[in-house]
Amino acid sequence: MTGIEHYLSIFTKAVFIENIVLAYFLGLCSFLAISKKIDASVGIGLAVIVVLTITAPINWFLWEFLLDKGALVWISSDFQDTDLGFLKLIVFISVIAAMVQLVEMFMERFSQSLYNSLGIFLPLIAVNCSILGGSLFMVEREYTISETVVYGFGSGVGFFLAIVALASIRYRIRYSNIPPRLRGVGMAMLLTGLLSMAFMAFSGIDL
Amino acid sequence: MELFNSESKKIVSDPINVNNPISLQVLGICSALAVTIRLDQAIIMTLAVVFVLCSSNVILSLIRNYIPARVRIVIMLSVIASLVSVVDELLKAYLYDMSKQLSVFVGLIITNCIIMGRAEAFALKHGPSKAFLDGLGNSMGYGLIIIVVSFFRELFGAGTITLPDGGAGYVLWSIPESWYAAGYENIGLLVLSPGAFIILGLVIWIQREFAGVEEDA
């Protein structure tokens, strides 16, 4: 299970078949709020790719060497039965909040233009469920470190694809005659439903 | 009694109707959809959110004068994350089947924007009793929507209505065999994710008709 096909399969699965937004409903808050504008959606999509690709592997290391049952054996064999799994939520969310802050500082220092385009979205991402969800799925599916990197990146790309697609559709229907109370979020939900139906066509594809 | 005057009543009833967290404030949709495949999951999720939101609102409102504004996000996140860990462990201990079905979505209550949103917008500015009522109202508004969505998804998608019990759920009613024999079919699409989006879209539409709110976009 180490061939390149295996990783390609995890990647396509994360992007198309088990798209984090359209199949698992994660990150919908920012998905709906920001998809009004295409540039902004591209911005937050890129920021999600960056943060997910960084936080998922870091949380993998913490899980594997600190929190999982028997993970502390590398300190001493007395910790064979120690299970700190109940701390995972609080640890993961702090890592995510800290990483978002770090990524923001790095960007500000080294790439002013990227910071200007992504800067305002980064704080929002700390509470985007797709990031925490990525880490939690990684634990639940028992991925290895390289699988985690691929999965994190793939989920980010999936989010990017979904939000840019929805923003483009919303842009196209600006002047459509929608019933007044359905405008905005209601219509966005129906459109997401159709998008999700389209993505379901990918299910069953296996590399 | 401060708890029972008309202002308190408004704090509880507004979020259920005219200021509903899901359909009008557009918060907390992430977890709202994933748990609506079956009614019993939605009910357990509602109870979990009622507990977390009420307690986090009360705790944060009690310590609101000691929280420096600059680090408030981290403090809110850690209070919420601890409460969610408690719920997660309780579910694992007493409702193991349910906790398996809800899988990561219990943990995702942390990033449920309703909780952070209400803490930021209400609990840090009001006393504990009002914060409790606000938490109660908002979590019930959330619960109302997800229970309605899950009721329709389960009834038309799987043909059953399931209530929570200690194990895999108690089937209250299911569509009789004779209906199927007469040509009735379940709408399989509703069980899948597109069904959730479409039903929630329609529920938001209907809820906004009742509340009389429009959005210009």
Side-chain angles (χ1 to χ4, degrees), chain B residues 100-150:
Chain B
K100 272 279 159 248
Q101 285 167 19
L102 293 176
S103 79
V104 301
F105 294 102
V106 178
L108 288 173
I109 297 178
I110 299 178
T111 48
N112 188 324
C113 341
I114 295 178
I115 310 210
M116 282 285 272
R118 292 325 292 174
E120 174 83 17
F122 199 92
L124 292 183
K125 296 184 187 111
H126 295 82
S129 60
K130 274 187 186 166
F132 174 78
L133 293 175
D134 181 72
L136 195 65
N138 275 287
S139 46
M140 300 217 303
Y142 166 90
L144 181 75
I145 300 270
I146 69 169
I147 285 173
V148 168
V149 171
S150 65

Side-chain angles (χ1 to χ4, degrees), chain A residues 200, chain B residues 153 156-158 185-195:
Chain A
M200 273 180 59
Chain B
R153 275 185 84 188
F156 295 114
E185 276 185 42
N186 287 326
I187 311 170
L189 187 70
L190 287 187
V191 184
L192 302 169
S193 34

Side-chain angles (χ1 to χ4, degrees), chain A residues 40-50 118 156-157 159-161 163-164:
Chain A
S41 331
V42 173
I44 194 154
L46 290 176
V48 166
I49 296 182
V50 172
L118 295 188
V157 174
F159 183 87
F160 178 85
L161 209 62
I163 194 169
V164 174

Side-chain angles (χ1 to χ4, degrees), chain A residues 21-29 32 36 86 89-90 93 127 129 132-133 136-137 140 179-186 189-190 192-193 196-197 200, chain B residues 26 28-30 33-34 81-82 84 89 103-105 107-108 110-111 113 116 189 192-194 196-198 200-201 204-205 208-209 212-215 217:
Chain A
V21 181
L22 301 173
Y24 284 109
F25 314 109
L26 298 178
L28 273 176
C29 305
L32 290 174
K36 280 179 189 157
F86 64 93
L89 294 176
I90 209 162
I93 196 74
V127 286
C129 0
L132 183 61
L136 292 176
F137 274 126
E140 202 177 83
R181 305 267 155 80
L182 183 60
R183 273 181 206 153
V185 182
M189 289 308 294
L190 296 187
T192 316
S196 150
M197 230 184 270
M200 273 180 59
Chain B
V26 198
I29 295 188
C30 325
L33 288 171
S82 325
V84 173
E89 296 296 309
S103 79
V104 301
F105 294 102
L108 288 173
I110 299 178
T111 48
C113 341
M116 282 285 272
L189 187 70
L192 302 169
S193 34
F197 287 116
I198 290 169
L200 184 63
I204 288 178
W205 183 11
R208 285 189 174 188
E209 287 289 345
V213 185
E214 289 177 21
E215 187 182 339

